[in-house]
Every structure is written in structure tokens, then in C-alpha cells.
Amino acid sequence: MARLPILEYPDPRLRTRAEPVAQVTDELRQLVRDMFETMYAAPGIGLAATQVNVHKRLLVADVSEDHDQPVCLINPEIVEREGTTTYEEGCLSVPGFTDSVERSAWIKVESLDQNGDPQIVEAEGLLAICIQHEMDHLEGKLFVDYLSELKRSRLKKKILKQRKLNPTAPEPASAPLS
Ligand code: ZN
């Protein structure tokens, strides 16, 4: 197992649109294990392959307190959605920053599991929010894209300034999202 480096905004690689997974191989399963380890260590509740610079349609999540409800979605597609909900989101790729984003409150997602078998996940609450956030990553989209342009450009300046002032500092504490 290995912890993987997480790309940080405004890294242009976070804008890559992920390709579908053609086959669930042992190599891919190893990536899934590494992504879980990286997510739990961060700590976060979700991680998209895009964030670890692998541009395949794959995400992991676990919104439980005890890390005992791991969810792995390969080639996820939202086939049904209902309602709306707003949550103060954070992102491991935008450390130290949160803002509220509106998402669907309930979703039904078709995907493959780690064995390559089809699975249907119905999610609401935090898991639904997390899956939508991670699926955005697979499209090269970040939660900060939902902010106004002014707010986003201020955030970008702030992050670049922090990095310039203290380029070797450890990562700032992240909000416990993905
Ligand atoms: Zn994120």
C-alpha cells in the first residue's frame, strides 16, 4: 500500500477529463487500495482518481466515522436524482477552504465495483454530496467552479501567495471532505 500525492488547485492536471475504465485489473485494484489509504490518511471522505493524477473514471468514498463503509465506484453514472441540498464543502485539492455548494439530495448511481461487477448505489445526505463532488473531479471540475468568478480569483491569489511564502511547509489542515 502506498499513499499517493494529491494534486492541488490550481494545478492544470485537475482539469483533465477522465477516461472510462476499460477493464478492472489487479493493477486497478491496487490503485483503489492506495486511494483508500490516501483518503483515510488525509483525512478525507472521498477521493477521485483525478486528484492522484490518474485520469480514469474511478472514485472512492467513505462517509462513516469508523471507516467501515468504503464505497468504490468505477465508471459511475448518475441515472436518477431528486431534490436539492446545500452543504459546506471542502476538497483535499483545495486545502484550507470551504464554501457552500448546491447538489442533488438523492442520487442513484450505476457503476462497477472493484471486481468489475455492475452495482447500483442509492445515496442521500453526505454520501450523495460526496459522490457528486468526486464525479465532478472526473469531469475536470472543482467545487470552487461553483463560486463567483471574483471569489474564485481571490481564492486563487490567496493560495498562490501562501505557497510562495512558504513553499516547503506541510499541507494546511483540510476540511474533512474530499
Ligand atoms: Zn475534491
Side-chain angles (χ1 to χ4, degrees):
M1 302 253 282
R3 286 186 201 173
L4 307 166
I6 297 175
L7 301 180
E8 288 187 6
Y9 178 77
D11 192 314
R13 291 171 292 181
L14 286 167
R15 297 307 187 179
T16 313
R17 190 164 186 270
E19 297 286 333
V21 171
Q23 206 183 349
V24 180
T25 58
D26 285 345
E27 194 188 352
L28 192 88
R29 274 186 280 270
Q30 183 60 50
L31 171 66
V32 170
R33 284 193 289 273
D34 290 343
M35 283 174 60
F36 272 115
E37 185 183 346
T38 304
M39 176 189 80
Y40 287 134
I45 60 167
L47 189 68
T50 308
Q51 291 177 278
V52 294
N53 201 28
V54 176
H55 301 287
K56 291 185 178 160
R57 305 187 79 78
L58 157 67
L59 66 90
V60 298
D62 188 342
V63 299
S64 71
E65 274 182 23
D66 298 330
H67 295 176
D68 58 0
Q69 289 164 37
V71 175
C72 169
L73 304 181
I74 298 169
N75 296 341
E77 299 282 349
I78 296 177
V79 292
E80 275 180 60
R81 55 173 84 231
E82 261 174 42
T84 55
T85 185
T86 303
Y87 186 78
E88 185 82 11
E89 297 189 14
C91 179
L92 294 176
S93 295
V94 193
F97 180 78
T98 64
D99 212 322
S100 55
V101 178
E102 189 178 288
R103 307 270 187 194
S104 298
W106 175 90
I107 53 171
K108 184 173 173 182
V109 189
E110 289 183 359
S111 68
L112 301 177
D113 66 16
Q114 291 168 74
N115 299 316
D117 295 323
Q119 66 178 349
I120 292 176
V121 173
E122 290 182 28
E124 59 183 353
L126 190 53
L127 182 59
I129 292 163
C130 180
I131 290 172
Q132 290 170 85
H133 175 116
E134 302 313 329
M135 285 183 68
D136 274 355
H137 277 302
L138 302 180
E139 298 299 327
K141 190 168 181 180
L142 293 164
F143 85 104
V144 296
D145 298 344
Y146 293 97
L147 308 181
S148 69
E149 202 155 321
L150 179 67
K151 226 169 168 181
R152 194 166 58 244
S153 81
R154 278 190 191 145
L155 168 71
K156 198 166 167 178
K157 271 187 204 148
K158 198 175 109 188
I159 288 175
L160 291 174
K161 196 174 160 193
Q162 274 173 358
R163 223 166 279 172
K164 208 169 160 188
L165 286 175
N166 210 350
T168 56
E171 299 306 328
S174 305
L177 236 178
S178 50

